[in-house]
Amino acid sequence: SVDCHKDKVITYAQRKGKIATCPSCGKRSSSIHSRYKRSPTDLSISDKGVTLLLEVRRFRCKNPECKRTTFAERFPDVVQPRVQRTIRLAKTQTDMGIKVGGEVGSKLLTKLHMPTSGDTLLRLVRKAELPKHESPRVVGVDDWSFHKGQTFGTILVDLEKHSVLDLLGDRT
């Protein structure tokens, strides 16, 4: 179900299945131990922030050799375990951090009703997978002086793709 408020939307959800699989041993269980609520933040809708209110069930693991006695059901397409934002929101915030940086991205995301701190954006960027790059075939090298005749830097450029490969703090 969905509740619309003045500045936010709350979506209530729960899994329908009666069986869950233990993430440690892979044994299936239908014995419910308890329930709790998770409330990860999702992408905004128009000018309203969105929060999911997920009812999570804890199950008893039936495998006596398993190190877990209980485990929580997972929502792998929606939210990762122990994370307070959905996968979609994390991807959007990571992309924003890569494109515009920490503090500026934080201010822009706050205006888009997806607030986060600049430090969190930088943390998301550091965790992001780097894109796969082929080795360049044609490389351009140039150096310049930061301070006339004293401090030098070097730039490496992929001349076929017209992209910077690296900036070096010296001439060596």
Side-chain angles (χ1 to χ4, degrees), residues 45-81:
I45 297 175
S46 185
D47 62 342
K48 297 181 181 197
V50 176
T51 300
L52 299 179
L53 192 59
L54 302 173
E55 182 174 301
V56 181
R57 298 174 293 183
R58 291 196 67 78
F59 288 84
R60 290 182 181 87
C61 184
K62 298 294 188 176
N63 184 355
E65 284 97 37
C66 183
K67 63 181 179 180
R68 293 182 189 233
T69 54
T70 65
F71 62 91
E73 64 186 336
R74 305 281 172 107
F75 296 82
D77 297 335
V78 179
V79 64
Q80 295 174 337

Coordinates of all heavy atoms in Angstrom, one line a residue, residues 45-81:
I45 N 9.8 11.0 -6.0 CA 8.7 11.2 -7.0 C 8.3 12.6 -7.0 O 7.9 13.2 -6.0 CB 7.5 10.3 -6.6 CG1 7.9 8.8 -6.6 CG2 6.4 10.6 -7.6 CD1 6.7 7.9 -6.1
S46 N 8.5 13.2 -8.2 CA 8.2 14.7 -8.3 C 8.9 15.5 -7.3 O 10.1 15.5 -7.2 CB 6.7 14.9 -8.3 OG 6.4 16.2 -8.6
D47 N 8.2 16.1 -6.4 CA 8.8 16.9 -5.3 C 8.7 16.3 -4.0 O 8.8 16.9 -2.9 CB 8.3 18.3 -5.3 CG 6.8 18.3 -5.0 OD1 6.1 17.2 -5.1 OD2 6.2 19.4 -4.6
K48 N 8.5 14.9 -3.9 CA 8.3 14.2 -2.7 C 9.4 13.1 -2.5 O 9.7 12.4 -3.4 CB 7.0 13.6 -2.6 CG 5.8 14.6 -2.7 CD 4.5 13.9 -2.6 CE 3.4 15.0 -2.6 NZ 2.1 14.5 -2.2
G49 N 10.0 13.1 -1.3 CA 10.9 12.0 -1.0 C 10.1 10.7 -0.8 O 8.9 10.7 -0.4
V50 N 10.7 9.6 -1.1 CA 10.0 8.3 -1.0 C 10.8 7.4 0.0 O 12.0 7.3 0.0 CB 10.0 7.6 -2.3 CG1 9.4 6.2 -2.2 CG2 9.2 8.4 -3.3
T51 N 10.0 6.8 0.9 CA 10.6 5.8 1.9 C 9.8 4.5 1.7 O 8.6 4.5 1.6 CB 10.4 6.3 3.3 OG1 11.1 7.5 3.4 CG2 11.0 5.3 4.3
L52 N 10.5 3.4 1.6 CA 9.9 2.1 1.6 C 9.8 1.6 3.1 O 10.8 1.8 3.8 CB 10.7 1.1 0.8 CG 11.0 1.4 -0.6 CD1 11.8 0.2 -1.2 CD2 9.6 1.4 -1.4
L53 N 8.7 1.0 3.5 CA 8.6 0.4 4.8 C 8.4 -1.1 4.5 O 7.3 -1.5 4.1 CB 7.4 1.0 5.5 CG 7.3 0.7 7.0 CD1 8.6 1.2 7.7 CD2 6.1 1.3 7.7
L54 N 9.5 -1.8 4.7 CA 9.5 -3.2 4.4 C 9.3 -4.0 5.7 O 10.0 -3.8 6.7 CB 10.8 -3.6 3.8 CG 11.2 -2.9 2.5 CD1 12.7 -3.3 2.1 CD2 10.3 -3.2 1.4
E55 N 8.4 -5.0 5.6 CA 8.2 -5.9 6.8 C 9.1 -7.1 6.5 O 8.9 -7.8 5.5 CB 6.8 -6.3 7.0 CG 6.6 -7.2 8.1 CD 5.2 -7.6 8.4 OE1 4.4 -6.6 8.7 OE2 4.9 -8.8 8.4
V56 N 10.1 -7.3 7.3 CA 11.1 -8.4 7.1 C 10.8 -9.4 8.1 O 10.7 -9.2 9.3 CB 12.5 -7.8 7.3 CG1 13.5 -8.9 7.0 CG2 12.8 -6.7 6.3
R57 N 10.8 -10.7 7.7 CA 10.6 -11.8 8.6 C 12.0 -12.5 8.9 O 12.8 -12.6 8.0 CB 9.7 -12.9 8.0 CG 8.3 -12.3 7.7 CD 7.4 -13.3 7.0 NE 8.0 -13.4 5.6 CZ 7.5 -14.2 4.7 NH1 6.4 -14.9 5.0 NH2 8.0 -14.3 3.5
R58 N 12.2 -12.9 10.1 CA 13.4 -13.7 10.5 C 12.9 -15.1 10.6 O 11.9 -15.4 11.1 CB 13.9 -13.2 11.8 CG 14.6 -11.8 11.7 CD 15.5 -11.6 12.9 NE 16.6 -12.4 13.0 CZ 17.7 -12.2 12.2 NH1 17.8 -11.2 11.4 NH2 18.8 -13.0 12.3
F59 N 13.7 -16.0 10.0 CA 13.4 -17.4 10.0 C 14.4 -18.2 10.8 O 15.6 -17.7 11.0 CB 13.5 -17.9 8.5 CG 12.3 -17.5 7.7 CD1 12.4 -16.3 7.0 CD2 11.2 -18.3 7.5 CE1 11.3 -15.8 6.2 CE2 10.2 -17.9 6.7 CZ 10.2 -16.7 6.1
R60 N 14.0 -19.3 11.3 CA 14.9 -20.2 12.0 C 15.6 -21.1 11.0 O 14.9 -21.7 10.1 CB 14.2 -21.1 13.0 CG 13.7 -20.3 14.2 CD 13.0 -21.3 15.2 NE 12.4 -20.5 16.3 CZ 11.3 -20.0 16.3 NH1 10.4 -20.1 15.3 NH2 10.9 -19.3 17.4
C61 N 16.9 -21.2 11.1 CA 17.6 -22.2 10.2 C 17.5 -23.6 10.7 O 17.7 -23.8 11.9 CB 19.1 -21.8 10.1 SG 20.0 -22.8 8.9
K62 N 17.1 -24.5 9.8 CA 16.8 -25.9 10.2 C 18.0 -26.7 10.2 O 18.0 -27.9 10.5 CB 15.7 -26.5 9.3 CG 14.4 -25.7 9.4 CD 13.8 -26.0 10.8 CE 12.4 -25.4 10.8 NZ 11.7 -25.7 12.1
N63 N 19.2 -26.2 9.7 CA 20.4 -27.0 9.6 C 21.1 -26.9 10.9 O 21.6 -25.8 11.3 CB 21.2 -26.4 8.4 CG 22.5 -27.3 8.2 OD1 22.8 -28.2 8.9 ND2 23.2 -26.9 7.2
P64 N 21.3 -28.0 11.6 CA 22.0 -28.0 12.9 C 23.5 -27.6 12.8 O 24.1 -27.1 13.8 CB 21.8 -29.4 13.5 CG 21.3 -30.2 12.4 CD 20.8 -29.4 11.3
E65 N 24.1 -27.9 11.7 CA 25.5 -27.5 11.5 C 25.7 -26.1 11.1 O 26.9 -25.6 11.0 CB 26.2 -28.5 10.4 CG 26.4 -29.9 10.9 CD 25.3 -30.8 10.5 OE1 24.8 -30.7 9.4 OE2 25.0 -31.7 11.4
C66 N 24.7 -25.3 10.7 CA 24.8 -24.0 10.3 C 25.2 -23.0 11.4 O 24.7 -23.2 12.5 CB 23.5 -23.5 9.6 SG 23.6 -21.8 8.9
K67 N 26.1 -22.1 11.2 CA 26.5 -21.1 12.2 C 25.4 -20.2 12.6 O 25.4 -19.5 13.6 CB 27.8 -20.4 11.8 CG 27.6 -19.5 10.6 CD 28.9 -18.8 10.2 CE 28.6 -18.0 8.9 NZ 29.8 -17.3 8.5
R68 N 24.4 -20.0 11.7 CA 23.3 -19.1 12.0 C 22.1 -19.9 12.6 O 21.7 -20.9 12.1 CB 22.8 -18.4 10.7 CG 23.7 -17.5 10.1 CD 23.1 -16.9 8.9 NE 24.0 -16.1 8.1 CZ 23.8 -14.9 7.7 NH1 22.7 -14.3 8.0 NH2 24.8 -14.2 7.1
T69 N 21.5 -19.3 13.7 CA 20.3 -19.9 14.2 C 19.1 -19.3 13.6 O 18.1 -19.9 13.4 CB 20.3 -19.8 15.7 OG1 20.4 -18.4 16.1 CG2 21.3 -20.6 16.4
T70 N 19.2 -18.0 13.3 CA 18.1 -17.3 12.6 C 18.7 -16.5 11.4 O 19.9 -16.1 11.5 CB 17.3 -16.3 13.5 OG1 18.2 -15.3 14.0 CG2 16.7 -17.1 14.7
F71 N 17.9 -16.1 10.5 CA 18.3 -15.3 9.4 C 17.1 -14.5 8.9 O 16.0 -14.9 9.0 CB 18.9 -16.1 8.2 CG 18.0 -17.1 7.6 CD1 17.2 -16.7 6.5 CD2 17.8 -18.4 8.1 CE1 16.4 -17.6 5.9 CE2 17.0 -19.3 7.6 CZ 16.2 -18.9 6.5
A72 N 17.4 -13.3 8.3 CA 16.4 -12.4 7.8 C 16.2 -12.7 6.3 O 17.2 -13.0 5.6 CB 16.7 -11.0 8.0
E73 N 14.9 -12.6 5.8 CA 14.7 -12.8 4.4 C 15.3 -11.6 3.7 O 15.5 -10.5 4.2 CB 13.2 -12.9 4.1 CG 12.4 -11.7 4.4 CD 10.9 -11.9 4.2 OE1 10.5 -12.8 3.5 OE2 10.1 -11.2 4.9
R74 N 15.7 -11.8 2.4 CA 16.4 -10.8 1.6 C 15.5 -10.2 0.6 O 14.5 -10.8 0.1 CB 17.6 -11.4 1.0 CG 18.6 -12.1 1.9 CD 19.5 -11.1 2.6 NE 20.3 -11.6 3.6 CZ 21.6 -11.8 3.5 NH1 22.2 -11.5 2.5 NH2 22.3 -12.3 4.6
F75 N 15.8 -9.0 0.2 CA 15.1 -8.3 -0.9 C 16.2 -7.9 -2.0 O 16.6 -6.7 -2.1 CB 14.4 -7.0 -0.5 CG 13.3 -7.3 0.5 CD1 13.6 -7.5 1.9 CD2 12.0 -7.3 0.1 CE1 12.5 -7.7 2.7 CE2 11.0 -7.6 0.9 CZ 11.2 -7.8 2.3
P76 N 16.8 -8.9 -2.7 CA 18.0 -8.6 -3.5 C 17.9 -7.7 -4.6 O 18.8 -7.0 -5.0 CB 18.4 -10.0 -4.0 CG 17.1 -10.8 -3.9 CD 16.3 -10.3 -2.8
D77 N 16.7 -7.5 -5.2 CA 16.5 -6.6 -6.3 C 16.1 -5.2 -5.8 O 16.1 -4.3 -6.6 CB 15.3 -7.1 -7.2 CG 15.7 -8.4 -7.8 OD1 16.9 -8.8 -8.0 OD2 14.7 -9.2 -8.2
V78 N 15.9 -5.0 -4.5 CA 15.5 -3.7 -4.0 C 16.5 -3.1 -3.1 O 16.9 -1.9 -3.3 CB 14.1 -3.9 -3.2 CG1 13.7 -2.6 -2.6 CG2 13.1 -4.5 -4.1
V79 N 17.0 -3.8 -2.1 CA 17.9 -3.2 -1.2 C 18.9 -4.3 -0.7 O 18.5 -5.5 -0.5 CB 17.1 -2.6 0.0 CG1 16.3 -3.6 0.8 CG2 18.0 -1.8 0.9
Q80 N 20.1 -3.9 -0.4 CA 21.1 -4.8 0.1 C 21.0 -4.9 1.6 O 20.5 -4.0 2.2 CB 22.5 -4.3 -0.3 CG 22.8 -4.3 -1.8 CD 24.1 -3.7 -2.1 OE1 24.7 -2.9 -1.3 NE2 24.7 -4.1 -3.3
P81 N 21.5 -6.0 2.2 CA 21.4 -6.1 3.6 C 22.1 -5.0 4.4 O 23.2 -4.5 3.9 CB 22.1 -7.5 3.9 CG 22.0 -8.2 2.6 CD 22.1 -7.2 1.6

